[in-house]
Amino acid sequence: MAEKPVILVVEDDADIQRIVEDALSEGGFEPAIAASGEEAITLLKGRAAKYCALVLDINLRGRMTGWATARQAREIDPAFPILYITAGTGHEWPSQGVPHSILLRKPFAAAQLVTAVSQLLNNGTPPLSPKDPA
């Protein structure tokens, strides 16, 4: 049996963590939870797991917002798939969000979350092809 893609979820609200975790699990993903942006960046830098995408709330407790967390994740991997989830600050996405990301507004259905993550993974940046010898 193939391993499930591991999705790093950054959410500081325990109830929403459970909702996202359940939706991803039922959708065929393996969720890993971080309660803050700082924790997420530590996990990404440590590469303890092969994370395939980042699902994160924009308004997080702690020093780092979701915007800042996503930017740092992209410094680690410029093509890292990012899905923002928010109830209120979505209007800032065009100016604050990283390119080639998706924004999902709360409340959302489990199927919407799974579809958005699948879309990110399926539309990832293709690897560069080697140049033909001259």
Side-chain angles (χ1 to χ4, degrees):
M1 188 167 135
E3 288 187 29
K4 294 179 180 180
V6 180
I7 309 301
L8 182 56
V9 177
V10 187
E11 174 61 66
D12 55 10
D13 182 300
D15 292 333
I16 296 173
Q17 277 181 2
R18 280 190 293 281
I19 291 167
V20 171
E21 188 173 15
D22 290 347
L24 290 173
S25 294
E26 290 172 17
F29 299 103
E30 180 66 38
I33 305 294
S36 69
E38 294 86 358
E39 181 182 355
I41 296 304
T42 298
L43 290 170
L44 290 171
K45 286 181 178 177
R47 301 180 195 267
K50 172 78 171 95
Y51 301 109
C52 296
L54 183 63
V55 174
L56 74 160
D57 189 11
I58 294 169
N59 294 318
L60 297 167
R61 291 183 203 111
R63 294 184 311 263
M64 290 181 72
T65 65
W67 304 126
T69 304
R71 284 191 290 274
Q72 283 200 24
R74 284 287 179 85
E75 287 175 14
I76 296 165
D77 178 353
F80 199 64
I82 306 284
L83 171 64
Y84 297 103
I85 56 176
T86 186
T89 55
H91 64 282
E92 296 176 356
W93 181 47
S95 63
Q96 295 291 322
V98 296
H100 309 293
S101 60
I102 295 177
L103 180 115
L104 188 61
R105 293 188 183 276
K106 297 176 189 174
F108 49 80
Q112 289 175 295
L113 176 67
V114 171
T115 299
V117 171
S118 297
Q119 180 182 350
L120 277 172
L121 295 179
N122 292 331
N123 294 334
T125 307
L128 296 174
S129 57
K131 296 191 184 250
D132 294 329

